[in-house]
Amino acid sequence: MEFSSEFIDKLKSAKSVVFFTGAGISAESGISTFRGKDGIWNKLRPEELANFDSFMRNPDMVWEWYQYRRKIINDSHPNRAHLAIAESEKLFDKVSVVTQNVDNLHGRAGSNTIYELHGNIERNFCVKCGAFYNSADYNFTEQAPRCEKCGGLVRPDVVWFGEMLPQEVFAEAEKAAEWSDICFVVGTSAVVYPAAYIPLTAKKNGSYIVEVNIEETDLSGYADYSLFGKAGEILPEIMVVLKEIRS
Ligand code: BJW
Ligand code: ZN
């Protein structure tokens, strides 16, 4: 792939970069996206699963869906896109990963600074007393578990529609975006807010926005540079160029 000279100049001078990622970055690891051609929400209605009222009305149905996804995630591995981002830490002064994903694949790939805006599917907590439960430490079944301490329902520690994002994490992510020289927007439809403000905040503060996606998105009009293709192919190619520049 040929990159523009403007992009290569930006790569040369950039010190601080942000990778804002979404479900598309994990698609090549075998994890379905939500929207788009193969999105799981073509078959399931998000409002029936990803909100607190649905969980309270039908905890087993919602829990079963998360157990199903946990299994897929546990059986998956970080792909070349996650690994390229982790490797980029050797080539820039500061790399922050701001992810909407709950699959922990950036962590497993070795990235060090990760802001998880929508939580993490491995963590759970009691809706009544707040006690934390790590999936790895419990033999959860398909039925929504009950808290050992108070008998309340245990839910996944993810952010559902209508819920606040973790405020400190979001504030740190915004700072990283503000200070970035380049903001890579990878594999997200950029339709879910407030997460989708991250690249807009970066842009407002003079960062160079590079979108990597298989198709156009709501953000494409704001991007300074759009690279259409698979994240697992494009990001390693960027790393090759970056290594040449930095060697
Ligand atoms: C590839 C690829 C490859 C595929 N390579 N690319 C402002 C305006 C409008 C609405 C709102 C607003 N502010 C708030 C709202 C409401 C709502 C919202 O945004 N709604 C819109 C959807 C209409 N937001 C909220 O409710 C948020 N909370 C909130 O605002 O609270 C404020 C508040 C609360 C209380 C009182 C008062 C105020 C919370 C949002 C939570 C989102 N949660 C989910 C589920 C998480 C748990 C779980 O995983 O189950 O998060 S929804 C789902 O969407 C998930 C994702 O993180 C999120 C984003 O999706 P993402 O990652 O972009 O994936 P896709 O599938 O959409 O896109 C994949 C992309 O990859 C596509 O573009 C493909 O082309 C591409 N691709 N293969 C590269 N190989
Ligand atoms: Zn409890």
Side-chain angles (χ1 to χ4, degrees):
M1 177 174 270
E2 276 283 304
F3 296 119
S4 73
S5 53
E6 183 184 72
F7 176 51
I8 291 176
D9 284 346
K10 293 287 175 188
L11 284 177
K12 278 184 187 154
S13 60
K15 291 191 163 51
S16 173
V17 301
V18 164
F19 289 89
F20 175 64
T21 67
I25 197 172
S26 297
E28 290 159 77
S29 294
I31 302 171
S32 298
T33 59
F34 296 92
R35 304 169 188 82
K37 196 166 59 69
D38 299 317
I40 38 179
W41 285 350
N42 293 334
K43 292 173 218 133
L44 300 162
R45 294 197 329 138
E47 56 273 28
E48 273 176 22
L49 291 164
N51 77 73
F52 184 71
D53 290 344
S54 298
F55 178 68
M56 292 314 278
R57 258 198 317 272
N58 200 342
D60 289 345
M61 179 189 75
V62 176
W63 181 262
E64 191 185 339
W65 186 57
Y66 280 91
Q67 280 294 87
Y68 164 76
R69 287 174 55 207
R70 274 189 196 105
K71 187 167 165 18
I72 292 171
I73 289 168
N74 286 340
D75 292 344
S76 71
H77 301 283
N79 64 49
R80 294 179 74 209
H82 299 103
L83 296 170
I85 292 176
E87 196 189 357
S88 75
E89 289 185 13
K90 296 187 201 126
L91 301 159
F92 293 111
D93 288 357
K94 178 90 195 110
V95 174
S96 306
V97 178
V98 178
T99 189
Q100 299 164 88
N101 299 346
V102 299
D103 58 27
N104 199 33
L105 288 183
H106 285 296
R108 284 168 58 194
S111 284
N112 286 297
T113 305
I114 307 169
Y115 301 109
E116 292 175 322
L117 299 184
H118 293 160
N120 188 311
I121 201 167
E122 274 303 295
R123 297 191 306 254
N124 307 277
F125 66 94
C126 167
V127 299
K128 212 161 146 196
C129 76
F132 261 87
Y133 293 88
N134 243 319
S135 299
D137 303 333
Y138 291 85
N139 213 356
F140 289 138
T141 66
E142 304 293 284
Q143 271 190 324
R146 292 279 173 175
C147 177
E148 286 172 351
K149 299 189 175 75
C150 77
L153 277 166
V154 173
R155 60 163 280 183
D157 187 10
V158 298
V159 181
W160 284 327
F161 285 112
E163 293 184 330
M164 300 284 282
L165 274 63
Q167 292 302 287
E168 272 179 33
V169 174
F170 190 72
E172 289 301 314
E174 274 194 308
K175 267 191 238 162
E178 279 166 22
W179 296 339
S180 68
D181 301 309
I182 304 179
C183 175
F184 293 93
V185 182
V186 186
T188 176
S189 56
V191 295
V192 173
Y193 285 86
Y197 285 129
I198 293 294
L200 302 181
T201 300
K203 172 116 186 153
K204 205 169 70 192
N205 287 274
S207 188
Y208 188 74
I209 312 299
V210 179
E211 183 176 46
V212 178
N213 202 302
I214 52 172
E215 60 188 28
E216 277 198 22
T217 70
D218 281 21
L219 189 95
S220 302
Y222 296 91
D224 294 296
Y225 193 41
S226 291
L227 294 165
F228 293 113
K230 290 185 174 179
E233 290 168 10
I234 292 176
L235 289 181
E237 287 188 44
I238 295 175
M239 283 308 119
V240 171
V241 172
L242 200 53
K243 279 183 199 159
E244 274 170 24
I245 290 171
R246 301 282 151 126
S247 64

